[in-house]
Amino acid sequence: LMLFLNPGLALEVARHGILLWCNVVLPTRLPFMICSGVIVALDAIHILTGPFKPILSFVLQLSDQGSFCLMSGLLCGYPMGAKTTSEFMDSGRISDKEGQYLLAISNHPSPMFVLGYVMAQIRVIPGIAASCPLWAVAAALYLPILPISTLARQCYHYKKRPQPLTDNTTLTEYPFSFDGHMMGCFETMIKIGGYIMLFSILALYLTVSPFAMHSLLRPALFGDVEITTGIQIIASSVPGKMGALLIIGSAAFGGFSGIFQTKSVLKNAGLSIRHYMLWKILHSALSCLIFYVSLYR
């Protein structure tokens, strides 16, 4: 009904969402998605995770395979952490409990997205550029992994296994096809683009509704529904530190678009999207708290 009543507005927002996907999301995620699959196929996970083993293994209590799931989520951004976790559970690389634990901590905005887009949008907010260093943004988005990991290990009764679950013969049962893997990455990226377009339209219709008349509620709704277009709207409409705080909260939460993207890649029945939503709400709250403290230190 809303599409019929205002088709011109939907067309403009859909076009804007797809352009953001093409110019920002696709180039910052796709190369890492393709490379991550090649690393798994070459059985080179230990080479990538080795330099970070003190943190990944001893602090976060992850196996080598689980460490790769976390790094995949960090490097590729939403929803690759959840996608890799689900695939590794299906193939027996990680246990069900480690998969549930990883779902709580492995889905994040990628550093390239943060550096190339989030920081760029924060810098255009009047009166915030000089008082918002990169370290404060990075700390707000990624430091909550530590307390959430402790809570998630207790919640799921997870303990690191001393030995891998499967041997190499099981993991290499099917030959790797680079073309097939790349087409799978393209399919995931097209799915992400579709969700960005649809949720951008939904967010705009929500923000023009009568209950969203408050000056902060409108951009906050946009950020909570779809982060790529939402962050841009927040940067252009909310001045000062409040605008930066809303951007951090939106990036940490991932938006409902990110939740739907994550649900679409969770093929394993042992992974709960409801639990994931609760963890992301907690992560967003902790990110806002850390960012607020760093700005008003």
Side-chain angles (χ1 to χ4, degrees), residues 1-11 201 205 208:
L1 180 62
M2 290 186 293
L3 289 172
F4 277 117
L5 290 176
N6 203 337
L9 188 62
L11 176 64
I201 296 173
Y205 281 128
V208 298

Side-chain angles (χ1 to χ4, degrees), residues 139-162:
L141 291 175
Y142 300 123
L143 272 184
I145 294 174
L146 297 177
I148 290 176
S149 68
T150 302
L151 186 60
R153 284 199 301 271
Q154 295 176 351
C155 178
Y156 298 118
H157 308 288
Y158 166 72
K159 290 184 180 181
K160 181 182 175 183
R161 288 175 178 257

Side-chain angles (χ1 to χ4, degrees), residues 35-278:
C35 290
S36 66
V38 175
I39 290 171
V40 174
L42 295 176
D43 197 24
I45 289 177
H46 61 283
I47 298 176
L48 181 64
T49 60
F52 308 98
K53 196 163 187 176
I55 296 176
L56 298 173
S57 179
F58 299 113
V59 177
L60 298 179
Q61 294 294 302
L62 291 170
S63 64
D64 285 346
Q65 310 289 337
S67 298
F68 181 80
C69 293
L70 177 60
M71 292 192 66
S72 176
L74 287 171
L75 293 176
C76 303
Y78 299 111
M80 275 305 293
K83 184 176 186 294
T84 309
T85 297
S86 180
E87 291 174 350
F88 276 28
M89 283 181 66
D90 289 338
S91 63
R93 291 175 179 267
I94 59 176
S95 66
D96 289 350
K97 287 188 178 297
E98 186 172 15
Q100 293 169 344
Y101 165 48
L102 277 166
L103 187 62
I105 62 172
S106 64
N107 243 18
H108 308 282
S110 70
M112 284 189 66
F113 182 78
V114 173
L115 288 170
Y117 188 70
V118 174
M119 285 302 299
Q121 295 301 319
I122 290 177
R123 294 271 163 77
V124 303
I125 299 176
I128 192 63
S131 59
C132 185
L134 175 60
W135 68 263
V137 174
L141 291 175
Y142 300 123
L143 272 184
I145 294 174
L146 297 177
I148 290 176
S149 68
T150 302
L151 186 60
R153 284 199 301 271
Q154 295 176 351
C155 178
Y156 298 118
H157 308 288
Y158 166 72
K159 290 184 180 181
K160 181 182 175 183
R161 288 175 178 257
Q163 298 294 333
L165 296 178
T166 56
D167 56 24
N168 289 334
T169 58
T170 305
L171 301 178
T172 58
E173 182 178 354
Y174 301 102
F176 175 74
S177 167
F178 182 78
D179 286 342
H181 167 63
M182 189 161 61
M183 288 305 297
C185 293
F186 286 150
E187 180 185 351
T188 301
M189 289 307 305
I190 291 173
K191 190 181 297 184
I192 290 172
Y195 278 119
I196 289 175
M197 178 187 68
L198 290 174
F199 277 87
S200 294
I201 296 173
L202 174 62
L204 186 65
Y205 281 128
L206 287 176
T207 57
V208 298
S209 62
F211 68 86
M213 297 303 293
H214 192 276
S215 58
L216 283 180
L217 184 56
R218 247 177 227 185
L221 273 174
F222 232 120
D224 286 339
V225 174
E226 208 295 302
I227 64 169
T228 311
T229 52
I231 286 174
Q232 192 174 67
I233 295 297
I234 293 171
S236 62
S237 58
V238 183
K241 295 178 179 179
M242 181 55 69
L245 190 65
L246 287 177
I247 288 177
I248 293 298
S250 298
F253 178 58
F256 285 98
S257 173
I259 290 171
F260 272 72
Q261 292 171 32
T262 300
K263 179 65 173 70
S264 71
V265 299
L266 294 182
K267 307 300 183 183
N268 192 289
L271 299 175
S272 168
I273 193 65
R274 295 180 180 86
H275 286 198
Y276 171 77
M277 289 176 63
L278 293 174

